[in-house]
Amino acid sequence: MHAPEIHSATTTHRSYPQTTGSFFPPAHIQPKLAVNEPGDVHEQEADAMADRVMRMPAPVMGLPASYKPAIQRKCEECEKEEKLQRKTDLSASDFATSSAITPHAKTNTHDAFIPAHQLAQSIQMSAAPGNMIQRAVHNGTDWAGRYEFNDTACTLNYSQDWYFQFPDSMDATRRTAYMSAAESQVEGVWSHKHRLIPTAGSCPCSPDGVDVAVDLRTHNEAQRGRHGYSANVTTAPTTGLTTLPLRDMTLSDTHDTPVNMGDGITQQRIAHEFGHALNMRDEYTGWASFWGVPGHNDRTSIMHSGDDVRPRHYQPFADIISNTVEGCTYRPAGLTSSSLVNPVARFGITTGITLDANPQFVVDLRLDRRLGNTDLLGLFTPRLGFETLMNTGSGNFMFGPTIGFDLNRFQHPIYLDVHTGLLYDPADPTRPESLNIPLSLTAGFRGSGFSGGVNYTGLVDVLGNSGYSHILGVNFMFDLPGGGPESRTPPPVP
Ligand SMILES: [Zn+2]
């Protein structure tokens, strides 16, 4: 046990002692300081600090006014307005317009009420010819394909471009026939299998859901562009192989006809490889059995040894729509889980310890929100938030904005969250202020309405007053109402 250090009366708060000049002071200075005379300089400073803290807005509440995770219940009219607003597909305007309740203006163009400022926006949008039709169509790209979601016709068209390379021994006629077989296999096996149902009645395409059509576009040329697959056809025996993220696949020249898998089961192997192109994994492997992944004993499944597309295989399509229609969650009919989409807003808590000789116990709180509807590269969902990090030993805390990226469409339900930000640590009598850049990585699993995992956070002070800190902890994130599937009231029965 160390003897408590006695503060010299001549110490002023500007001469921060080396041992205390950081957010995570060494443990041995933690024991109580010498008893101070009432009203001495340290006490006055402490009082002043406490005063400042009391006057600060609570960190989690201190969000910009435009940052509203839509916790309050919405009126039905507002729901309609939001739906119309969504159709304009202005992801950048989401922050300003979501959950806005403003005086209404009636318009004949749409059979609904639109808030005045949104009306202006709609008129601007309508100025472009053909815009009225395009409003119901959402186009985008994901991992290796393109989608077009029509929220009026309730159709999702998903297409991929495959660029075929053939051996010289295959002539032009044979190549054309092979590509044609590839298209029929993929489109026949994957289209119109399960409808995508919204989990709230107020969402587009409720209650019947969305029909999915898959379109394979084949080309006999080298791959062009960022999206698509290079399909190499070989005469050498191969069971078919799709590599991620290189986006090429190897097919046998016999895969244009179904492969006999034994026990009376056949498989259209090119359609199986398309499942990989949607980022799905094999269900027949020893690892699949070991982990007990869904489908490991489902022999006739397309990702196992047969041709059957199950509801679980439609999750990537459901995710596309859930990410397109903010606040709405879609799931394949027959699959109850709605756990795999990126939520709109969520709250997180991380508890951890600093990795040094005198571990400090740290609690981190974070509130963040999906930044629009678009995934970067079809994989990462950008998020903007606010975070506060507390050292529970000293009571010090730092706070500030964060920007993050979620990756949970790579391999459900595996979840990866990366975020950084700028965290301000105010000065106090024992320490100078610091401005910290965190690098936070969480890897874990996403469940229904929450995610959990192991978190590493590194902190570096750009002002140089504190050193580099490493924190290891456990993180849980909870989806907030407004981003969840059950937060919307169903529409009235007509
Ligand atoms: Zn496979």
Side-chain angles (χ1 to χ4, degrees), residues 425-447:
D425 171 26
D428 75 10
T430 61
R431 301 172 298 117
E433 63 187 357
S434 63
L435 196 57
N436 300 275
I437 295 180
L439 175 64
S440 169
L441 303 167
T442 303
F445 293 93
R446 182 155 168 76

Side-chain angles (χ1 to χ4, degrees), residues 26-72:
H28 70 269
I29 63 106
Q30 289 293 332
K32 358 178 155 97
L33 303 172
V35 177
N36 293 322
E37 291 300 318
D40 80 355
V41 63
H42 300 294
E43 190 170 46
Q44 285 166 15
E45 281 167 355
D47 287 346
M49 180 63 194
D51 245 30
R52 282 204 298 276
V53 170
M54 292 302 287
R55 280 198 304 270
M56 270 176 203
V60 177
M61 305 305 289
L63 293 164
S66 61
Y67 185 100
K68 290 180 183 167
I71 292 170
Q72 69 256 61

Side-chain angles (χ1 to χ4, degrees), residues 239-242 267 269 272-273 276 280-284 302-304:
T239 56
L241 181 69
T242 305
Q267 183 171 63
R269 188 57 59 76
H272 170 88
E273 299 303 324
H276 290 311
M280 269 168 268
R281 295 299 185 266
D282 286 317
E283 293 168 352
Y284 59 80
I302 183 68
M303 297 317 293
H304 201 296

Side-chain angles (χ1 to χ4, degrees), residues 63-83:
L63 293 164
S66 61
Y67 185 100
K68 290 180 183 167
I71 292 170
Q72 69 256 61
R73 255 169 88 103
K74 293 167 189 162
C75 65
E76 282 155 14
E77 277 185 355
C78 308
E79 296 277 330
K80 283 187 201 161
E81 290 155 13
E82 275 217 345
K83 266 204 250 178

Side-chain angles (χ1 to χ4, degrees), residues 209-224:
V210 179
D211 181 57
V212 177
V214 170
D215 174 26
L216 184 70
R217 302 169 187 171
T218 58
H219 314 267
N220 185 11
E221 58 183 273
Q223 183 175 351
R224 300 183 268 116

Side-chain angles (χ1 to χ4, degrees), residues 308-355:
D308 294 342
V309 169
R310 305 297 187 198
R312 63 179 176 275
H313 302 132
Y314 257 41
Q315 186 70 53
F317 300 133
D319 288 355
I320 286 173
I321 302 183
S322 298
N323 279 287
T324 301
V325 185
E326 190 169 339
C328 289
T329 302
Y330 291 73
R331 55 174 176 71
L335 194 68
T336 53
S337 171
S338 61
S339 64
L340 303 170
V341 295
N342 294 307
V344 174
R346 56 181 197 181
F347 171 75
I349 180 166
T350 306
T351 56
I353 54 166
T354 58
L355 300 179

